[in-house]
Amino acid sequence: MNKTIFYFSATGNSLQTALDIANALGDTDVVSLSKAGMNYNCNSEVIGFVFPVYAWGLPNMVYDFIKSSNFNKNAYFFSVVTCGGAIGTCLTDVDNMLKEKGSYLHYGSKLPILSNYIFMVDIKTDKVDKLLAKADDRLAVIIQNIKNRKEHKIKGSLGILRKMHNKASANFKSTDKDYSVSKSCTRCGICVSVCPAKNIEIIDEKVTFKHNCEKCLACIHWCPQKAINYKDKTQNKQRYHNPKVKFSQLT
Protein backbone atom coordinates (compact mmCIF):
# COMPACT_ATOMS: atom_id res chain seq x y z
CA MET A 1 0.00 0.00 0.00
CA ASN A 2 1.32 3.50 -0.77
CA LYS A 3 -1.10 5.13 1.66
CA THR A 4 -1.72 4.28 5.31
CA ILE A 5 -4.24 5.61 7.81
CA PHE A 6 -3.68 4.87 11.48
CA TYR A 7 -6.74 5.14 13.67
CA PHE A 8 -7.71 4.96 17.32
CA SER A 9 -11.38 4.40 18.02
CA ALA A 10 -13.62 3.37 20.91
CA THR A 11 -17.20 3.84 19.74
CA GLY A 12 -16.43 3.62 16.03
CA ASN A 13 -16.60 7.24 14.87
CA SER A 14 -12.88 7.49 14.13
CA LEU A 15 -12.78 4.02 12.59
CA GLN A 16 -15.65 4.82 10.23
CA THR A 17 -14.01 8.14 9.37
CA ALA A 18 -10.74 6.37 8.55
CA LEU A 19 -12.58 3.82 6.41
CA ASP A 20 -14.47 6.53 4.52
CA ILE A 21 -11.25 8.43 3.80
CA ALA A 22 -9.47 5.23 2.73
CA ASN A 23 -12.33 4.26 0.41
CA ALA A 24 -12.21 7.69 -1.25
CA LEU A 25 -8.42 7.69 -1.62
CA GLY A 26 -8.10 4.12 -2.82
CA ASP A 27 -5.06 1.86 -2.35
CA THR A 28 -5.02 2.69 1.36
CA ASP A 29 -4.22 0.47 4.31
CA VAL A 30 -6.26 1.17 7.47
CA VAL A 31 -4.36 0.20 10.62
CA SER A 32 -5.49 0.17 14.25
CA LEU A 33 -2.64 1.80 16.14
CA SER A 34 -3.66 -0.04 19.30
CA LYS A 35 -3.05 -3.32 17.46
CA ALA A 36 0.04 -2.09 15.62
CA GLY A 37 1.83 -1.44 18.88
CA MET A 38 4.76 0.85 19.49
CA ASN A 39 7.90 1.31 17.35
CA TYR A 40 6.01 0.87 14.08
CA ASN A 41 7.77 1.49 10.76
CA CYS A 42 5.77 3.04 7.92
CA ASN A 43 7.19 3.98 4.52
CA SER A 44 3.94 4.99 2.83
CA GLU A 45 3.78 8.07 0.63
CA VAL A 46 0.61 9.34 2.34
CA ILE A 47 0.15 8.85 6.08
CA GLY A 48 -2.90 9.82 8.09
CA PHE A 49 -3.88 9.77 11.76
CA VAL A 50 -7.56 9.66 12.74
CA PHE A 51 -8.56 9.72 16.39
CA PRO A 52 -10.89 11.42 18.92
CA VAL A 53 -9.95 14.29 21.23
CA TYR A 54 -9.56 13.39 24.90
CA ALA A 55 -9.48 16.15 27.51
CA TRP A 56 -8.37 18.86 25.05
CA GLY A 57 -5.57 16.73 23.65
CA LEU A 58 -4.37 13.41 22.28
CA PRO A 59 -5.39 10.04 23.70
CA ASN A 60 -2.34 8.66 25.50
CA MET A 61 -2.08 5.72 23.13
CA VAL A 62 -2.03 8.00 20.08
CA TYR A 63 0.73 10.12 21.61
CA ASP A 64 2.83 7.08 22.49
CA PHE A 65 2.35 5.51 19.08
CA ILE A 66 3.39 8.54 17.04
CA LYS A 67 6.23 9.36 19.43
CA SER A 68 7.74 5.88 19.25
CA SER A 69 7.18 5.05 15.57
CA ASN A 70 9.15 5.79 12.41
CA PHE A 71 7.58 7.28 9.29
CA ASN A 72 8.67 8.20 5.79
CA LYS A 73 9.95 11.75 6.23
CA ASN A 74 8.90 12.66 2.69
CA ALA A 75 5.30 11.52 3.10
CA TYR A 76 2.25 13.75 2.97
CA PHE A 77 0.89 13.74 6.53
CA PHE A 78 -2.68 14.51 7.50
CA SER A 79 -4.75 14.17 10.65
CA VAL A 80 -8.50 14.23 11.33
CA VAL A 81 -9.75 14.63 14.89
CA THR A 82 -13.29 13.46 15.60
CA CYS A 83 -14.95 15.47 18.34
CA GLY A 84 -18.02 16.94 19.92
CA GLY A 85 -16.51 20.43 20.05
CA ALA A 86 -13.03 21.87 20.56
CA ILE A 87 -9.92 19.76 19.86
CA GLY A 88 -7.43 21.63 22.02
CA THR A 89 -3.79 20.74 21.38
CA CYS A 90 -4.36 17.68 19.16
CA LEU A 91 -3.12 18.96 15.80
CA THR A 92 -0.31 20.97 17.32
CA ASP A 93 0.95 17.94 19.21
CA VAL A 94 0.93 15.74 16.10
CA ASP A 95 2.73 18.47 14.15
CA ASN A 96 5.37 18.88 16.86
CA MET A 97 6.07 15.16 17.08
CA LEU A 98 6.44 14.88 13.31
CA LYS A 99 8.79 17.86 13.31
CA GLU A 100 10.96 16.02 15.81
CA LYS A 101 11.19 13.26 13.19
CA GLY A 102 12.15 15.62 10.36
CA SER A 103 8.73 16.18 8.81
CA TYR A 104 5.51 18.04 9.70
CA LEU A 105 1.73 17.81 9.59
CA HIS A 106 0.73 19.09 6.16
CA TYR A 107 -3.01 19.14 6.77
CA GLY A 108 -5.17 18.78 9.86
CA SER A 109 -8.87 19.18 10.52
CA LYS A 110 -11.41 18.52 13.21
CA LEU A 111 -14.55 16.59 12.35
CA PRO A 112 -17.45 17.43 14.68
CA ILE A 113 -19.72 14.41 15.02
CA LEU A 114 -21.10 14.20 18.54
CA SER A 115 -19.80 14.00 22.07
CA ASN A 116 -19.96 10.48 23.48
CA TYR A 117 -18.31 11.49 26.77
CA ILE A 118 -21.05 9.89 28.79
CA PHE A 119 -19.55 11.07 32.09
CA MET A 120 -20.72 14.59 31.31
CA VAL A 121 -23.24 14.50 28.44
CA ASP A 122 -26.55 12.87 27.58
CA ILE A 123 -26.62 11.48 24.06
CA LYS A 124 -29.92 12.23 22.35
CA THR A 125 -30.77 9.30 20.13
CA ASP A 126 -33.24 11.34 18.11
CA LYS A 127 -30.41 13.64 17.01
CA VAL A 128 -27.80 11.02 16.09
CA ASP A 129 -28.83 10.53 12.45
CA LYS A 130 -28.87 14.28 11.80
CA LEU A 131 -25.45 14.76 13.42
CA LEU A 132 -23.94 11.88 11.45
CA ALA A 133 -25.33 13.28 8.20
CA LYS A 134 -23.75 16.66 8.92
CA ALA A 135 -20.47 14.93 9.70
CA ASP A 136 -20.59 13.13 6.34
CA ASP A 137 -20.96 16.49 4.57
CA ARG A 138 -18.01 17.93 6.47
CA LEU A 139 -15.92 14.84 5.79
CA ALA A 140 -16.51 15.13 2.05
CA VAL A 141 -14.75 18.51 2.10
CA ILE A 142 -11.90 17.13 4.20
CA ILE A 143 -11.44 14.20 1.83
CA GLN A 144 -11.25 16.52 -1.16
CA ASN A 145 -8.59 18.58 0.60
CA ILE A 146 -6.56 15.44 1.30
CA LYS A 147 -6.90 14.30 -2.31
CA ASN A 148 -5.62 17.70 -3.44
CA ARG A 149 -2.69 17.41 -0.99
CA LYS A 150 -3.77 20.65 0.61
CA GLU A 151 -1.36 22.21 3.08
CA HIS A 152 -2.00 24.74 5.80
CA LYS A 153 -0.13 25.97 8.81
CA ILE A 154 -1.03 24.22 12.05
CA LYS A 155 -1.81 26.86 14.63
CA GLY A 156 -0.24 26.72 18.07
CA SER A 157 -2.32 26.00 21.15
CA LEU A 158 -2.74 27.94 24.37
CA GLY A 159 -0.46 26.80 27.15
CA ILE A 160 -3.35 26.54 29.58
CA LEU A 161 -5.00 23.86 27.43
CA ARG A 162 -1.80 21.84 27.40
CA LYS A 163 -1.55 22.05 31.18
CA MET A 164 -5.18 20.99 31.54
CA HIS A 165 -4.68 18.04 29.21
CA ASN A 166 -1.46 16.92 30.87
CA LYS A 167 -3.11 16.98 34.28
CA ALA A 168 -6.19 15.11 33.10
CA SER A 169 -4.38 12.48 31.01
CA ALA A 170 -2.00 11.67 33.85
CA ASN A 171 -4.98 10.19 35.72
CA PHE A 172 -6.50 8.23 32.81
CA LYS A 173 -4.97 4.89 33.80
CA SER A 174 -6.68 4.87 37.19
CA THR A 175 -10.11 5.91 35.86
CA ASP A 176 -11.31 2.33 36.10
CA LYS A 177 -11.10 2.35 39.90
CA ASP A 178 -14.43 4.15 39.79
CA TYR A 179 -16.08 1.67 37.41
CA SER A 180 -18.68 -0.74 38.71
CA VAL A 181 -20.28 -3.81 37.15
CA SER A 182 -23.90 -4.52 37.96
CA LYS A 183 -25.63 -7.85 38.40
CA SER A 184 -26.99 -7.57 34.87
CA CYS A 185 -23.53 -8.51 33.55
CA THR A 186 -23.64 -11.80 31.61
CA ARG A 187 -19.85 -12.07 31.29
CA CYS A 188 -20.21 -12.07 27.51
CA GLY A 189 -16.66 -10.77 27.10
CA ILE A 190 -17.46 -7.88 24.78
CA CYS A 191 -15.79 -5.42 27.13
CA VAL A 192 -12.65 -7.57 27.17
CA SER A 193 -12.52 -7.74 23.39
CA VAL A 194 -13.26 -4.09 22.65
CA CYS A 195 -10.80 -2.56 25.14
CA PRO A 196 -7.84 -1.15 23.14
CA ALA A 197 -5.60 -1.16 26.22
CA LYS A 198 -6.31 -4.82 27.07
CA ASN A 199 -7.24 -3.51 30.49
CA ILE A 200 -10.12 -5.87 31.22
CA GLU A 201 -10.19 -9.57 32.10
CA ILE A 202 -12.83 -11.94 33.38
CA ILE A 203 -11.35 -13.66 36.42
CA ASP A 204 -13.34 -16.12 38.50
CA GLU A 205 -16.52 -15.11 36.68
CA LYS A 206 -15.93 -11.45 37.52
CA VAL A 207 -15.11 -8.52 35.22
CA THR A 208 -11.76 -7.19 36.46
CA PHE A 209 -10.06 -3.90 35.57
CA LYS A 210 -6.25 -3.75 35.63
CA HIS A 211 -5.74 0.00 36.14
CA ASN A 212 -4.22 0.64 32.74
CA CYS A 213 -7.29 2.44 31.42
CA GLU A 214 -7.22 4.60 28.30
CA LYS A 215 -10.47 6.30 29.36
CA CYS A 216 -11.93 5.64 25.92
CA LEU A 217 -15.24 4.39 27.43
CA ALA A 218 -15.55 1.59 24.87
CA CYS A 219 -16.48 -0.90 27.60
CA ILE A 220 -19.29 1.31 28.85
CA HIS A 221 -20.74 2.08 25.43
CA TRP A 222 -20.51 -1.42 23.95
CA CYS A 223 -21.82 -3.42 26.93
CA PRO A 224 -25.18 -4.79 25.69
CA GLN A 225 -26.54 -4.93 29.25
CA LYS A 226 -25.39 -1.42 30.27
CA ALA A 227 -23.78 -3.23 33.17
CA ILE A 228 -20.60 -1.12 33.35
CA ASN A 229 -20.95 2.29 34.93
CA TYR A 230 -18.83 5.13 36.25
CA LYS A 231 -19.63 6.22 39.82
CA ASP A 232 -23.27 7.37 39.75
CA LYS A 233 -22.98 9.34 36.51
CA THR A 234 -23.91 6.89 33.75
CA GLN A 235 -26.59 4.50 35.01
CA ASN A 236 -29.52 6.13 33.26
CA LYS A 237 -27.75 7.50 30.21
CA GLN A 238 -28.02 6.36 26.61
CA ARG A 239 -25.06 4.42 25.23
CA TYR A 240 -23.71 5.08 21.75
CA HIS A 241 -21.64 3.50 19.03
CA ASN A 242 -21.45 4.41 15.37
CA PRO A 243 -24.30 2.56 13.63
CA LYS A 244 -22.08 1.59 10.69
CA VAL A 245 -19.49 -0.11 12.89
CA LYS A 246 -19.71 -3.54 14.51
CA PHE A 247 -17.85 -4.19 17.73
CA SER A 248 -15.99 -7.06 16.02
CA GLN A 249 -14.24 -4.46 13.82
CA LEU A 250 -12.65 -2.99 16.94
CA THR A 251 -11.45 -6.27 18.42
Side-chain angles (χ1 to χ4, degrees):
M1 299 287 182
N2 64 8
K3 309 180 192 75
T4 301
I5 299 176
F6 297 100
Y7 74 89
F8 177 80
S9 190
T11 59
N13 286 337
S14 291
L15 170 55
Q16 189 59 49
T17 298
L19 291 172
D20 287 342
I21 296 172
N23 183 60
L25 296 181
D27 192 26
T28 301
D29 195 11
V30 178
V31 178
S32 165
L33 61 81
S34 65
K35 295 177 183 177
M38 303 298 110
N39 302 305
Y40 196 92
N41 292 305
C42 181
N43 294 312
S44 296
E45 298 171 2
V46 176
I47 300 174
F49 305 102
V50 181
F51 54 86
V53 58
Y54 284 1
W56 312 285
L58 297 174
N60 288 335
M61 195 172 288
V62 174
Y63 179 89
D64 292 341
F65 175 80
I66 298 176
K67 192 77 172 178
S68 70
S69 298
N70 299 303
F71 308 102
N72 174 13
K73 294 181 181 180
N74 298 314
Y76 172 81
F77 290 93
F78 71 88
S79 184
V80 178
V81 185
T82 58
C83 61
I87 61 171
T89 66
C90 286
L91 296 178
T92 304
D93 288 344
V94 173
D95 186 41
N96 287 339
M97 283 190 285
L98 291 176
K99 285 178 178 176
E100 291 176 359
K101 299 175 184 295
S103 189
Y104 64 96
L105 184 62
H106 297 77
Y107 175 77
S109 178
K110 71 175 184 178
L111 178 63
I113 300 181
L114 56 78
S115 175
N116 52 23
Y117 193 57
I118 194 172
F119 293 179
M120 297 179 65
V121 302
D122 285 310
I123 299 168
K124 306 299 182 182
T125 54
D126 59 333
K127 295 183 178 180
V128 168
D129 288 345
K130 185 176 180 179
L131 291 171
L132 292 176
K134 285 186 177 180
D136 286 342
D137 291 339
R138 296 185 184 107
L139 183 58
V141 176
I142 293 170
I143 288 173
Q144 193 58 50
N145 288 336
I146 295 170
K147 283 184 173 181
N148 293 337
R149 303 293 188 270
K150 181 176 180 178
E151 293 196 26
H152 64 182
K153 184 177 180 180
I154 305 300
K155 297 180 180 179
S157 298
L158 295 174
I160 189 172
L161 289 179
R162 189 173 304 283
K163 290 180 181 179
M164 291 168 64
H165 171 70
N166 290 344
K167 182 178 181 179
S169 62
N171 298 318
F172 281 1
K173 291 183 183 299
S174 61
T175 299
D176 60 12
K177 67 181 175 58
D178 292 313
Y179 287 179
S180 63
V181 182
S182 72
K183 294 181 180 179
S184 63
C185 172
T186 63
R187 294 171 294 284
C188 65
I190 287 178
C191 59
V192 176
S193 299
V194 82
C195 176
K198 304 304 178 188
N199 182 52
I200 307 173
E201 291 184 14
I202 296 178
I203 301 175
D204 296 331
E205 298 297 305
K206 181 181 179 181
V207 173
T208 304
F209 300 96
K210 300 188 291 183
H211 311 309
N212 188 39
C213 186
E214 193 66 25
K215 205 177 182 180
C216 71
L217 313 187
C219 59
I220 292 178
H221 282 292
W222 285 99
C223 176
Q225 303 301 321
K226 297 184 180 180
I228 302 175
N229 286 285
Y230 177 78
K231 296 184 177 180
D232 61 351
K233 298 181 180 295
T234 61
Q235 281 76 0
N236 298 313
K237 290 185 177 180
Q238 178 66 38
R239 271 52 168 172
Y240 167 84
H241 51 80
N242 189 290
K244 295 182 181 179
V245 174
K246 298 179 180 179
F247 93 90
S248 58
Q249 292 176 268
L250 296 168
T251 62

